[in-house]
Amino acid sequence: MNTNVEDYGISPIDETTASSGLIPGRITAVHRERYEVVCQHGEIGARLKSGIYFSGTADERFPTVGDYVLLQYNSGGDSLIVKTGERKSSFSRSDYSGHGAAYAKSILEQLVAANFDYVFIMASLNYDFNVKRIERYLTMAWQSGAQPVIVLTKADLSHQVSEQLQQVREIAIGADVFAISSKTGDGLDELKGYLQPRKTIVFLGSSGVGKSSLVNALAEEEIMKVSGIREEDSKGRHTTTHRQLTLLNNRVMVIDTPGMRELGLWDADSGISETFSDVEALFQQCKFADCTHEREPGCAVKQSMQNGALNEDRWQRYLQLKKENLFVTNKAAYLREKDKWHKLSVINKRRK
Ligand SMILES: Nc1nc2c(ncn2[C@@H]2O[C@H](COP(=O)(O)OP(=O)(O)OP(=O)(O)O)[C@@H](O)[C@H]2O)c(=O)[nH]1
Ligand SMILES: [Zn+2]
C-alpha cells in the first residue's frame, strides 16, 4: 500500500524508534477493543499491548481518535499499540472523579478526540440561533487546547445575517466568525484559510446544524450522511457509521465521532429553555399543573395556537428538540455505564 503518512501529520521515524523496530501511526477509528490505525503499511487493525496498557502498574493512557501511537507491526493480523503520544489538544466526554481510585479514573477517562488544530463551532442562523449557546461551546473549545472557529450555518435561511454576525463577534474574542450556506455555497471560500493540508478539524454543534452538509460541501463529495426525514424515535441517525478520522481530497483531516456528537448536546436542555422561553412560559398558564398540552381543557399552548399567538411550527420544533435531547442524554448515560463495566471486566479478565 502506498500511504503518505505525512498527510496524516505522522512524523518521520527517528533513529531511536527505527532501531526499536516500532513504527508510528495515527488512530482513525476506535471500536470496542480494536483500533483502526493508519501507518506506512496503510490502514491496519490494532489492539493495545496488554503488558503495557493493562498491567497493574500501567499508566499508559488509552488512545483515542486522532492520537499518534507507536506500533509493533504485524503483517499477518492485528498489530500491537505500545505507546500513546503526547496530545496537543483533546476533548473528553465525562469526568469520573467520583470513582475514587486514581487507577480506575485513568482507565475510565473518555476521550473522544485528540490532536486537532481547529474546533469548528457550528450554529445555525435560523430560528434556534442562540448566542449564549455559542458562548458555552467557545469555552469548551478553548479548554480543548485548539483554536476555535465559529461557523454560522444556513445563512440562506436568515434575513439578518449581518446583525447576527455582529452579535456573535462581540462574544467571540480571539476567534474568527463566518456565515456560510452549504446550500448556496456562500461564504465557503472564506474558510479556506483554515483548510490547509495536515490540519485536523473537529466539529462542535447541535444535531441538525449542518455539520455533515459542510463537510460534504468542502470535500466536494459525500463523506458524511446528511440527515434526511427524521425517524419517529430518531434512532436511525445516530447509528450511521462512517470513518471517524477522514482525510479529504484537499488533504485536510476531519474528525467526527459519536462522542463528539454527544458533546454537542451536552447542555442542550438549558439552551432549549432559553430559546423557547416564550413557549415554556405558557405552561404556567395551563389550567392543570401536569398538563401534557395534548387534549386537556384550559391548555394555554392549545389556546395560543388557536388564536395565532404561538406558531404551530415553532411548537413542533420545540417538541422535536426536547425529544431528541432526551434520547441523546439517555443514550450517553447508557453508553457510559456500559463502557465502564465493559472496560472493568476486560481489566479483571486480563489480571487473572
Ligand atoms: N437551507 C439550508 N439547509 C441546510 C444547510 N446546511 C444543512 N442544511 C439542512 O439541514 C439538515 C441537517 O443537516 P446535516 O448536515 O445533516 O446536519 P448535522 O449537523 O450533520 O446533523 P446530525 O447528523 O444530526 O448531527 C439537512 O436537512 C440539510 O439539508 C444550509 O446551508 N442551508
Ligand atoms: Zn397545556
Side-chain angles (χ1 to χ4, degrees):
M1 279 205 84
N2 219 344
T3 302
N4 185 359
V5 295
E6 287 175 27
D7 277 347
Y8 285 89
I10 299 168
S11 321
I13 312 184
D14 60 37
E15 276 172 35
T16 342
T17 312
S19 63
S20 68
L22 301 174
I23 61 165
R26 189 171 193 194
I27 308 281
T28 56
V30 178
H31 308 292
R32 287 229 151 262
E33 286 166 62
R34 283 189 89 236
Y35 295 79
E36 281 165 45
V37 186
V38 65
C39 67
Q40 66 201 63
H41 301 289
E43 189 99 35
I44 62 163
R47 288 168 192 276
L48 301 177
K49 183 163 182 164
S50 61
I52 289 173
Y53 285 91
F54 296 103
S55 76
T57 55
D59 62 355
E60 193 64 26
R61 292 152 309 157
F62 282 21
T64 189
V65 175
D67 262 325
Y68 296 104
V69 294
L70 285 177
L71 299 158
Q72 274 173 11
Y73 179 65
N74 174 8
S75 60
D78 279 348
S79 296
L80 291 176
I81 298 170
V82 301
K83 188 166 180 52
T84 309
E86 289 299 317
R87 297 177 176 126
K88 64 178 174 191
S89 60
S90 64
F91 268 120
S92 56
R93 186 161 64 185
S94 208
D95 174 14
Y96 287 90
S97 51
H99 286 270
Y103 172 70
K105 190 180 168 190
S106 71
I107 297 295
L108 294 170
E109 194 185 5
Q110 292 285 302
L111 268 104
V112 296
N115 295 314
F116 39 87
D117 299 278
Y118 305 123
V119 180
F120 277 23
I121 296 173
M122 312 272 297
S124 88
L125 287 166
N126 64 350
Y127 41 93
D128 51 345
F129 178 72
N130 182 319
V131 178
K132 285 217 177 79
R133 191 189 302 154
I134 296 173
E135 210 167 14
R136 279 195 295 271
Y137 285 150
L138 203 51
T139 312
M140 290 169 71
W142 285 121
Q143 282 166 355
S144 76
Q147 170 68 41
V149 178
I150 299 178
V151 181
L152 305 175
T153 62
K154 308 192 188 183
D156 57 293
L157 297 179
S158 169
H159 299 294
Q160 30 186 339
V161 176
S162 52
E163 291 89 335
Q164 289 168 311
L165 268 172
Q166 187 49 39
Q167 272 179 280
V168 176
R169 285 189 174 128
E170 277 165 21
I171 58 124
I173 317 298
D176 275 336
V177 185
F178 302 101
I180 61 135
S181 167
S182 301
K183 199 171 175 186
T184 64
D186 278 351
L188 294 180
D189 274 352
E190 292 179 63
L191 296 174
K192 287 252 159 72
Y194 289 100
L195 306 174
Q196 299 300 320
R198 293 182 202 175
K199 295 293 184 191
T200 305
I201 299 171
V202 295
F203 301 89
L204 200 51
S206 315
S207 178
V209 294
K211 297 182 289 290
S212 308
S213 302
L214 175 65
V215 170
N216 293 341
L218 295 175
E220 293 172 352
E221 57 183 310
E222 168 127 357
I223 300 278
M224 292 181 189
K225 208 170 162 53
V226 170
S227 320
I229 297 157
R230 306 199 159 177
E231 287 172 48
E232 247 315 295
D233 60 4
S234 83
K235 268 178 192 145
R237 299 180 309 111
H238 293 276
T239 52
T240 316
T241 55
H242 51 72
R243 299 259 315 268
Q244 299 175 347
L245 183 152
T246 313
L247 179 66
L248 307 182
N249 284 336
N250 54 11
R251 286 152 76 215
V252 176
M253 288 160 281
V254 297
I255 294 181
D256 180 57
T257 67
M260 276 307 299
R261 292 196 167 225
E262 281 167 17
L263 280 184
L265 277 126
W266 185 57
D267 62 352
D269 220 19
S270 56
I272 294 170
S273 293
E274 276 160 27
T275 315
F276 292 90
S277 55
D278 56 325
V279 175
E280 295 195 342
L282 291 172
F283 300 167
Q284 265 113 55
Q285 298 163 32
C286 292
K287 187 172 172 193
F288 300 106
D290 60 349
C291 184
T292 62
H293 324 299
E294 278 165 8
R295 56 186 69 81
E296 290 86 345
C299 172
V301 174
K302 277 259 136 40
Q303 279 163 10
S304 301
M305 280 193 283
Q306 269 153 22
N307 67 25
L310 173 63
N311 182 302
E312 167 121 36
D313 284 348
R314 187 165 162 79
W315 173 242
Q316 290 305 329
R317 176 78 184 154
Y318 171 80
L319 291 180
Q320 189 195 349
L321 279 173
K322 286 299 266 191
K323 193 170 66 185
E324 263 177 32
N325 195 38
L326 193 67
F327 171 72
V328 174
T329 36
N330 288 346
K331 190 176 175 223
Y334 168 76
L335 284 177
R336 269 197 292 277
E337 279 307 298
K338 202 166 135 186
D339 248 37
K340 190 168 77 193
W341 293 115
H342 176 76
K343 285 207 174 119
L344 286 174
S345 74
V346 169
I347 293 158
N348 287 336
K349 256 184 247 153
R350 301 203 193 205
R351 280 171 141 181
K352 276 175 196 155

